[in-house]
Amino acid sequence: DAASRGEALAHAKEAVSIRRRLAADQPAVYLPDLAMSLNNLTNRLSEQGGVASRVEVLTGALEAFVIIRQLAKQQPTVFVHDTAGALENFIYHLSNQGNSAPGSEALGFALEIAFVERGLADGEVLDLLEYFRTLASNLSRHKTETSQLKACLCNRVVVAINRKLAAEQPAAYLPDLAMSLDNFANFLCEQGDETSTKEVAKCKEEAVSIYRRLANEQPAEYLPDLATSLNNLASHLSEQGDAASRREALACAKEAVDIRRKLATEQPDAYLPDLAMSLNNLAYYMFKYGKAAAVMEAIEHAREAVGICRAVLNSDDLESSSNLATALDSLAEILSSQSDETAIAESKRCALEAVEIAGSLVQALPADACPNVDASRKILAGRPVSVSNDQPHHREHDQ
């Protein structure tokens, strides 16, 4: 009954208060007991519901995990199993928050309170950040539903810690926050469910916003990151079915081209390949989602991309050959939509060269790294290349 639960909660809070005082005087003796009391308190609090309890639950579970992890560093054989248990408890309570904005806010508040309560120095916070980053990476390799859920939650913690650090020291940690948002978005892309897809755009848009701010302050250092982030966002938006998202994808792709053209003018060896990729993507978006009048402009962008790929082609660099095949395939597909014989002939020449290059790379590259030249194969076989929601062949991901 409610009265009994209220009384149990009061006792749990008192136990934490007592053991906190004892642990302050004799940490070696009473910190394990404090962690146990915190875990008990989180279980009582989780029965209450409400926003305040949500923050308290996460704070208690996180503080208990931090305590046990610190103890495990000093006595690993004694506390190794307790660390796993404390982590499971924190992950369990975090999973109960869901993907909502209040859940993210609760996690942020919990981190703030728990770090202050434990008096964590910057080095200890960074160590905890690296722990969750590594754990997320390891878990993501296991494709079981449980592992993917835990990886998702650990990624949320990484973003939340980076957000806290960036709020305190923006110059030092804003780049890490943007990177963690992009990486989390990439992870969510792989999940494929509707909830994850909606969150991807929010993460990528925030990453673009951060890189834009950084690029305004330090263009030489962060303009390349802004261009990459814009390409990532454009790729995601283009996959959505609504016209507004596709218009935004085109705008992002155009901005990425503008940035990389500027960078390539200043440092051609470093940025011409990136410019070619962005031109290829822009051409494809204009062809698939732009107005009919945009097709000729798309062809010019695609031709420029092919020209750049030829200019930077290096027989010792298989990626440059793959990029040329991809650019040729895109140009072939766009040209195949035209009715004049000259365009059709050029389309077939491009398609033949794309298929030949792709064939030469089959033995040299892993299957998932080989260029996609399906459009060219259809053109050479005399089959129609459907104008559907196919995506550009190049997709960038910050890792």
Side-chain angles (χ1 to χ4, degrees):
D1 60 89
S4 296
R5 287 198 299 272
E7 190 175 354
L9 177 59
H11 290 323
K13 287 184 175 180
E14 185 178 4
V16 167
S17 179
I18 292 170
R19 283 176 166 164
R20 198 181 292 285
R21 289 198 301 271
L22 291 169
D25 296 331
Q26 300 181 62
V29 177
Y30 290 110
L31 273 177
D33 294 334
L34 173 57
M36 182 178 66
S37 289
L38 284 164
N39 275 331
N40 289 338
L41 176 59
T42 61
N43 293 331
R44 302 288 76 78
L45 285 166
S46 64
E47 300 168 355
Q48 307 303 306
V51 176
S53 294
R54 175 181 288 180
V55 174
E56 285 187 88
V57 166
L58 286 179
T59 301
L62 179 58
E63 186 182 356
F65 169 69
V66 171
I67 290 171
I68 293 298
R69 188 162 180 271
Q70 289 174 331
L71 292 169
K73 286 185 175 182
Q74 300 164 10
Q75 303 177 64
T77 56
V78 176
F79 291 103
V80 62
H81 295 299
D82 296 297
T83 303
L87 176 63
E88 284 292 331
N89 194 52
F90 172 60
I91 292 295
Y92 168 76
H93 289 298
L94 184 56
S95 68
N96 288 339
Q97 309 303 312
N99 299 331
S100 62
S104 297
E105 290 175 7
L107 176 57
F109 286 133
L111 288 169
E112 188 73 35
I113 297 168
F115 290 174
V116 171
E117 196 67 65
R118 296 308 329 143
L120 295 186
D122 286 351
E124 292 173 301
V125 174
L126 292 174
D127 178 63
L128 196 64
L129 172 63
E130 186 57 34
Y131 173 86
F132 278 104
R133 182 185 288 128
T134 302
L135 185 60
S137 176
N138 292 338
L139 286 166
S140 67
R141 296 191 183 99
H142 303 282
K143 299 307 178 183
T144 65
E145 185 177 348
T146 300
S147 294
Q148 291 299 299
L149 173 60
K150 290 180 179 178
C152 181
L153 295 171
C154 288
N155 271 309
R156 289 190 190 284
V157 176
V158 170
V159 171
I161 294 176
N162 274 318
R163 196 183 298 286
K164 176 186 181 300
L165 292 169
E168 297 168 353
Q169 302 179 59
Y173 294 111
L174 269 177
D176 293 335
L177 174 57
M179 181 74 77
S180 65
L181 284 163
D182 257 336
N183 286 340
F184 186 31
N186 295 339
F187 171 84
L188 290 169
C189 279
E190 296 173 0
Q191 306 311 299
D193 60 283
E194 185 178 351
T195 303
S196 295
T197 299
K198 289 179 180 178
E199 194 170 3
V200 168
K202 293 179 182 178
C203 290
K204 288 184 178 294
E205 284 167 359
E206 186 178 359
V208 166
S209 177
I210 292 170
Y211 280 128
R212 195 183 300 285
R213 171 181 167 181
L214 291 168
N216 285 336
E217 297 168 357
Q218 302 178 63
E221 186 168 355
Y222 291 110
L223 271 176
D225 295 318
L226 174 58
T228 297
S229 198
L230 283 163
N231 263 348
N232 286 341
L233 177 57
S235 178
H236 173 73
L237 289 169
S238 70
E239 296 171 1
Q240 312 314 303
D242 60 290
S245 293
R246 289 175 176 174
R247 283 196 299 270
E248 191 177 350
L250 273 170
C252 290
K254 286 178 180 178
E255 186 178 359
V257 166
D258 290 342
I259 292 171
R260 284 179 164 166
R261 195 180 295 284
K262 177 179 182 297
L263 292 169
T265 300
E266 298 167 354
Q267 300 181 60
D269 291 344
Y271 293 111
L272 272 175
D274 294 335
L275 173 59
M277 185 189 66
S278 286
L279 283 164
N280 184 60
N281 285 351
L282 177 57
Y284 207 79
Y285 294 140
M286 294 183 77
F287 170 56
K288 292 290 187 180
Y289 314 127
K291 297 178 181 179
V295 174
M296 296 312 297
E297 188 178 352
I299 291 173
E300 292 309 308
H301 288 319
R303 281 176 175 152
E304 185 181 0
V306 169
I308 293 173
C309 286
R310 289 194 193 283
V312 301
L313 186 64
N314 183 341
S315 58
D316 296 326
D317 180 8
L318 296 180
E319 185 178 359
S320 69
S321 296
S322 178
N323 290 344
L324 176 57
T326 297
L328 285 163
D329 184 71
S330 292
L331 178 56
E333 180 173 357
I334 299 171
L335 287 167
S336 71
S337 69
Q338 303 303 292
S339 57
D340 62 285
E341 293 182 2
T342 302
I344 296 299
E346 185 183 356
S347 171
K348 290 179 179 179
R349 288 196 300 272
C350 290
L352 179 60
E353 186 178 0
V355 169
E356 288 176 347
I357 294 173
S360 71
L361 296 173
V362 169
Q363 300 299 323
L365 291 175
D368 59 355
C370 287
N372 176 0
V373 293
D374 287 347
S376 293
R377 291 193 174 96
K378 289 179 181 178
I379 291 167
L380 295 175
R383 289 184 285 140
V385 182
S386 61
V387 181
S388 62
N389 292 339
D390 297 336
Q391 297 308 307
H393 305 296
H394 281 301
R395 297 184 62 181
E396 292 181 87
H397 293 309
D398 281 334
Q399 299 294 346

